[in-house]
Amino acid sequence: MSAALPYSETVRVNQIGAGLSRTLEPDADARKRIARALDLQGLEDFVVDISVTPTPSTSEWTLKGRVTAHAVQTCGLTLEPLPVDVDRRFSIQLVEAAPQETDEIEVTLDEEDADLIEDGKIDLGQYAVEQLALSLDPFPRKPGAEFVQPEEPKEISPFAALKALKSQDDQG
């Protein structure tokens, strides 16, 4: 079972040629799906200028772009709307996946590895949403909002409630 992507705009590798440039601007319904997927109160504006170019002398491609957006997050302390403006540039290396001969899966944690292109397609929309997500504060907080630790109860014990009940019984 695969989760549906909130926004998808695919391009086939054989359509790239010497390079490809696109401006992605999701419609209102797509922005609502993206906002729901990223737990935003709203996504009023979302534009991505993106280009894919082959890297000379290798079988890799370079995906570069700029994400601009106006989103509304929820303050983690006050639960009030928190407007956020995003302007992020990014660059990602891509490489076409080689056919696997074995059933084994090799897992590496090398940050320098290029993203794999599967089935000869690159989903520009997925990269756009990913870059927007990376630009958002995972713990949004309004300026001036502070967390105040509640006072600890004086007596922490499972018998504290029983003691309080006993003192009420003594009065009655």
Side-chain angles (χ1 to χ4, degrees):
M1 181 171 112
S2 65
L5 298 173
Y7 180 60
S8 182
E9 187 81 32
T10 59
V11 65
R12 296 196 65 73
V13 172
N14 61 1
Q15 294 174 321
I16 296 172
L20 175 86
S21 293
R22 294 244 172 105
T23 298
L24 306 179
E25 199 166 349
D27 62 11
D29 290 336
R31 287 195 314 269
K32 284 179 187 175
R33 288 191 308 271
I34 294 167
R36 197 171 26 255
L38 299 180
D39 198 24
L40 299 172
Q41 286 189 18
L43 182 59
E44 298 162 15
D45 186 32
F46 182 41
V47 178
V48 183
D49 293 315
I50 202 164
S51 67
V52 183
T53 54
T55 304
S57 73
T58 66
S59 61
E60 293 186 359
W61 286 265
T62 302
L63 179 95
K64 288 185 179 182
R66 179 180 178 198
V67 174
T68 56
H70 180 72
V72 180
Q73 288 187 284
T74 303
C75 175
L77 295 177
T78 65
L79 301 180
E80 295 174 7
L82 179 62
V84 177
D85 288 316
V86 172
D87 189 350
R88 176 188 181 102
R89 293 188 182 279
F90 62 93
S91 179
I92 301 168
Q93 287 300 116
L94 306 170
V95 65
E96 202 156 5
Q100 295 288 331
E101 297 290 328
T102 65
D103 292 336
E104 293 181 22
I105 298 174
E106 182 180 336
V107 177
T108 61
L109 298 176
D110 188 7
E111 288 290 325
E112 299 301 317
D113 284 347
D115 283 4
L116 292 178
I117 299 172
E118 296 179 6
D119 299 328
K121 296 182 219 172
I122 302 170
D123 192 341
L124 302 177
Q126 181 180 353
Y127 280 106
V129 173
E130 178 181 277
Q131 292 304 313
L132 174 62
L134 291 171
S135 302
L136 297 172
D137 186 351
F139 304 105
R141 184 183 294 185
K142 277 194 142 186
E146 290 185 32
F147 176 73
V148 178
Q149 178 73 29
E151 265 189 51
E152 292 288 328
K154 291 182 175 70
E155 189 173 339
I156 300 176
S157 140
F159 301 106
L162 293 174
K163 187 176 181 181
L165 287 174
K166 184 179 179 188
S167 64
Q168 289 176 356
D169 288 343
D170 291 343
Q171 293 174 355

